[in-house]
Amino acid sequence: MTLPARQPESESTGLPIAGETRETVPAVKATPASALDIYTGDPNFMTSLARGLIVIQAFTQQSPQMTISQLSVKTGLSRAAVRRCLYTLTKLGFAGAEDGSRYGLRPRMLTLSHSYTASSTLSTAAQPILERMSAGLRESFSVATLDGDDIVYIARTTVDRVMVAVDLHIGSRLPAYCTSMGRVLLAYLPPDKLEQYLAHVELIPRTTRTITTVDKLRLALRNVRRTGYALVDQELEVGLRSLAVPVYAPSGRVVATINLSGHAPRMPVYDMQTRFLPHLRNAANELGVFLR
């Protein structure tokens, strides 16, 4: 018996005939480089500068040194693009390779962060306020702003007894959803911005206490707006408890947040709310004055 010849797919629909299946094309994994696609065709967008910044941001505490191949995989940029970025950064003193193959950032990179802190009224005004509180209360305090889905530390003081798994410093980033400072900044976002965040955020459980559903996070954020502060109990890290309040600009917009963090066993929730909350609110008000 002669089988009928296989009919070609429809030219108009591209669909296979009945009984046949088309192979599933695997989804393309998003990379930092793919995020630049939205700027294609924008004559004012400097793609080469954006690629250089992507390479810089690829270096982390976990990956302080990488080869061109590793950077290419991590960033999604071609090896040739990574090589040109590293060549430029090396010539300018911002990067280098000890063994000729594994590249790392150089101390000169600190001048970029210093440029921000030196020119930021918020950062320069916050640091002495935090240092004064830390000296008087012997606790660790921080100020942060929201950048995308993360909080970014722009001022910080520490005391020796505070031990956390994450090495926090100016420029450190943490997820907003499971930190007290992040909860404050999210709670005071415009409604449309908050909805955009909740629609795409991945609520990864950092501990067994971490809020991992959007409904519960919504409830927590409403509570922040009701009380005027956020208290997060061991959601980022076991044993770490933190308290944060908003910092208002003269327009009434929340532009930053200030917090206290410490070991849960020695810092009961009641003490944080009664002893430390007034100090945080006073510091936030003082910091807000500098923004006028």
Side-chain angles (χ1 to χ4, degrees):
M1 176 178 168
T2 302
L3 295 176
R6 182 176 181 270
Q7 297 297 316
E9 295 174 350
S10 168
E11 293 182 359
S12 61
T13 65
L15 297 175
I17 61 175
E20 293 186 353
T21 60
R22 183 190 295 274
E23 292 184 3
T24 301
V25 178
V28 178
K29 183 179 179 181
T31 63
S34 64
L36 303 182
D37 293 343
I38 61 174
Y39 302 107
T40 300
D42 185 344
N44 295 314
F45 187 78
M46 293 183 63
T47 303
S48 58
L49 174 58
R51 288 171 176 167
L53 293 173
I54 285 175
V55 170
I56 290 173
Q57 294 176 85
F59 293 98
T60 63
Q61 184 177 5
Q62 293 73 31
S63 303
Q65 293 185 332
M66 286 179 283
T67 64
I68 290 176
S69 295
Q70 290 170 331
L71 281 164
S72 178
V73 171
K74 188 170 183 178
T75 63
L77 297 170
S78 67
R79 287 169 52 91
V82 171
R83 185 181 294 106
R84 288 195 299 271
C85 290
L86 289 173
Y87 177 84
T88 303
L89 291 170
T90 299
K91 287 295 184 180
L92 296 176
F94 291 106
E98 296 295 342
D99 58 3
S101 62
R102 296 181 63 83
Y103 287 82
L105 300 181
R106 291 290 182 261
R108 189 173 186 183
M109 192 62 66
L110 294 173
T111 60
L112 300 181
S113 62
H114 177 71
S115 296
Y116 168 77
T117 56
S119 62
S120 169
T121 301
L122 186 60
S123 178
T124 55
Q127 195 62 41
I129 294 174
L130 299 187
E131 290 173 358
R132 187 178 67 246
M133 281 202 303
S134 189
L137 300 173
R138 298 301 304 158
E139 299 294 346
S140 296
F141 297 93
S142 306
V143 171
T145 57
L146 191 65
D147 183 29
D149 294 347
D150 299 332
I151 60 168
V152 180
Y153 285 72
I154 63 171
R156 179 165 169 78
T157 60
T158 60
V159 292
D160 293 339
R161 67 187 176 197
V162 175
M163 299 293 291
V164 294
V166 182
D167 179 23
L168 298 176
H169 50 80
I170 295 175
S172 290
R173 304 175 70 94
L174 289 174
Y177 70 91
C178 60
T179 56
S180 63
M181 292 195 288
R183 295 266 175 90
V184 166
L185 295 168
L186 291 174
Y188 291 95
L189 280 177
D192 59 329
K193 297 294 185 181
L194 177 59
E195 290 307 313
Q196 291 175 16
Y197 172 83
L198 294 175
H200 73 262
V201 66
E202 185 178 3
L203 304 177
I204 300 172
R206 302 290 291 256
T207 74
T208 57
R209 293 172 176 258
T210 308
I211 288 178
T212 56
T213 68
V214 170
D215 287 342
K216 289 183 177 180
L217 182 56
R218 284 185 190 276
L219 180 61
L221 297 180
R222 285 198 295 268
N223 191 52
V224 171
R225 292 186 68 94
R226 180 179 63 83
T227 61
Y229 68 87
L231 196 156
V232 172
D233 188 6
Q234 304 179 77
E235 293 189 45
L236 174 68
E237 180 183 324
V238 175
L240 182 65
R241 186 173 286 151
S242 62
L243 176 71
V245 299
V247 175
Y248 292 90
S251 63
R253 183 171 63 92
V254 172
V255 295
T257 174
I258 182 170
N259 97 323
L260 155 78
S261 58
H263 283 164
R266 69 170 184 79
M267 192 173 285
V269 170
Y270 180 77
D271 281 0
M272 297 187 84
Q273 294 170 318
T274 57
R275 180 186 173 197
F276 295 108
L277 184 56
H279 289 283
L280 285 178
R281 284 177 166 159
N282 289 338
N285 290 336
E286 183 180 355
L287 186 53
V289 170
F290 286 94
L291 302 178
R292 296 175 184 171

